[in-house]
Amino acid sequence: MNLELRHLKVVVAIAETGSVTKAASQLGLAQPALTAQLQRIERTLGGPLFERDRRGARPTALGELVLARARVLLPAMKGLQDEAARLAGTGDVMTRYRVGGANSPIVGGLVHRLAAAQPEAQISTYASWYADELAQMVLGGRLDYVLVGVCGDSAPSAAHGLAWRVVSVDAVFVMLPTAHPLATSDEVDLADLAEAQWVAAPGDGCFGDCFAAACARSGFTPRKVYETDIRGCIDMVESGEAVALCQATFRPVTGLVTRPIAGAPLRWRLLLGWHPEALAAKFADDVLCHAVAAYEDMVGRNPVYQRWLSDNPPFGAQQVAPI
């Protein structure tokens, strides 16, 4: 039997879990099958890799040697695969667009504009709550572009090495049931919601800290924030159980309203990202233009926010220098 990368993954899994049974569960294999595979690996390498007793599996000297090599080879092979996937495809035309979005309001509009501009292109989308997950997928060559939101002036992690452009800067609004006493107000003072129960969609970044800081400036500490998906947020607001923080571009359903927070203490920047060394970088300016146009289309369908933007010109669509 020739030793393969999958065999090294088995050895690493057993060492990291300290148990053949736990490693089998992690790898999605039956325990007897993994035991038989380990025995074949040991025969190939000429000796036992683990000492096994009631306390688990501990590497032998030979096992430590194999582990040391595996922990170099496996990441190196993963890096090679990621580089190959990211750099695959050459030429002057994008034949596919793989777009990821983290609770982004314009993915649909961007896809529509890309499809209209290039009908023959293959377009796929991927949704996540987490900007870091999407950035890792771009880094690994599995996505071409990502749309993510960040709080205030913060930026995605520089560790990913992606290029970013700002599509828009928006205020954060509150979503209320129409029966709420503040639902008819032109804007809502955050302090007037000091006793409210809150709900928001999940995500990474510093938004929770920024919200807590805004509440502190208004003189109160917010009650615990429920975290659920968009449908769950709507249901909780609709039932009167909570009020929601929401993107200003959100178009409320019947029975709900969105209102600006006085002074716009919370801002949300929508960013477009891509890998600077990938083919996608050649076409990033075009995709950015489509993204901004999709944002403007969306705002055009939201007269409440349209009026608010006309009174608050720093907000809205942006095309600025790299961040």
Side-chain angles (χ1 to χ4, degrees):
M1 183 185 81
N2 292 322
L3 197 64
E4 301 176 11
L5 289 176
R6 62 189 177 92
H7 299 137
L8 296 181
K9 292 178 181 178
V10 166
V11 175
V12 170
I14 294 171
E16 289 182 345
T17 60
S19 162
V20 172
T21 301
K22 291 178 182 177
S25 177
Q26 182 184 94
L27 295 169
L29 299 172
Q31 190 268 337
L34 186 62
T35 298
Q37 191 170 135
L38 175 60
Q39 290 171 347
R40 290 194 295 272
I41 294 169
E42 290 178 328
R43 284 197 298 270
T44 299
L45 292 173
L49 301 181
F50 296 95
E51 294 177 355
R52 297 169 62 189
D53 55 30
R54 288 178 300 173
R55 291 176 293 177
R58 298 183 307 281
T60 62
L62 178 59
E64 292 286 6
L65 173 64
V66 174
L67 282 168
R69 298 294 190 273
R71 285 168 174 155
V72 172
L73 290 171
L74 290 176
M77 182 56 70
K78 179 64 166 59
L80 173 60
Q81 291 171 334
D82 289 349
E83 286 288 315
R86 190 177 71 243
L87 298 177
T90 58
D92 298 323
V93 178
M94 283 282 286
T95 58
R96 68 178 183 184
Y97 294 88
R98 298 167 299 171
V99 181
N103 194 18
S104 172
I106 68 164
V107 169
L110 176 58
V111 168
H112 173 73
R113 284 187 165 272
L114 289 172
Q118 201 172 337
E120 71 284 0
Q122 296 179 348
I123 303 173
S124 61
T125 59
Y126 180 85
S128 171
W129 293 113
Y130 302 103
D132 278 351
E133 179 191 2
L134 295 174
Q136 287 287 358
M137 292 181 72
V138 174
L139 198 64
R142 289 176 287 165
L143 289 174
D144 300 307
Y145 302 98
V146 290
L147 287 161
V148 305
V150 295
C151 182
D153 294 322
S154 64
S157 172
H160 301 302
L162 303 190
W164 299 96
R165 297 291 187 279
V166 182
V167 176
S168 65
V169 178
D170 293 297
V172 175
F173 279 22
V174 292
M175 185 194 305
L176 307 166
T178 52
H180 195 283
L182 298 175
T184 57
S185 304
D186 291 334
E187 62 179 17
V188 175
D189 193 314
L190 199 55
D192 291 336
L193 294 170
E195 299 303 317
Q197 177 67 63
W198 296 86
V199 63
D204 46 19
C206 62
F207 184 76
D209 293 336
C210 292
F211 173 58
C215 293
R217 291 194 296 270
S218 294
F220 71 97
T221 299
R223 298 170 65 185
K224 181 180 178 181
V225 180
Y226 292 121
E227 190 175 273
T228 184
D229 59 23
I230 299 299
R231 182 67 252 180
C233 289
I234 291 173
D235 289 343
M236 293 188 72
V237 175
E238 207 167 30
S239 69
E241 180 64 27
V243 298
L245 296 164
C246 68
Q247 297 181 36
T249 51
F250 178 79
R251 287 180 293 165
V253 298
T254 302
L256 304 179
V257 297
T258 59
R259 291 292 179 262
I261 302 173
L266 295 168
R267 294 183 299 124
W268 193 249
R269 292 192 302 156
L270 179 61
L271 309 179
L272 177 72
W274 62 89
H275 198 291
E277 297 177 4
L279 179 64
K282 295 183 181 180
F283 306 95
D285 287 344
D286 290 340
V287 175
L288 177 62
C289 288
H290 286 308
V292 171
Y295 171 84
E296 292 174 334
D297 290 343
M298 179 185 59
V299 169
R301 297 189 296 269
N302 190 330
V304 172
Y305 192 45
Q306 220 174 359
R307 289 194 295 271
W308 189 89
L309 285 176
S310 67
D311 295 330
N312 296 270
F315 293 87
Q318 316 273 315
Q319 289 199 55
V320 299
I323 63 171

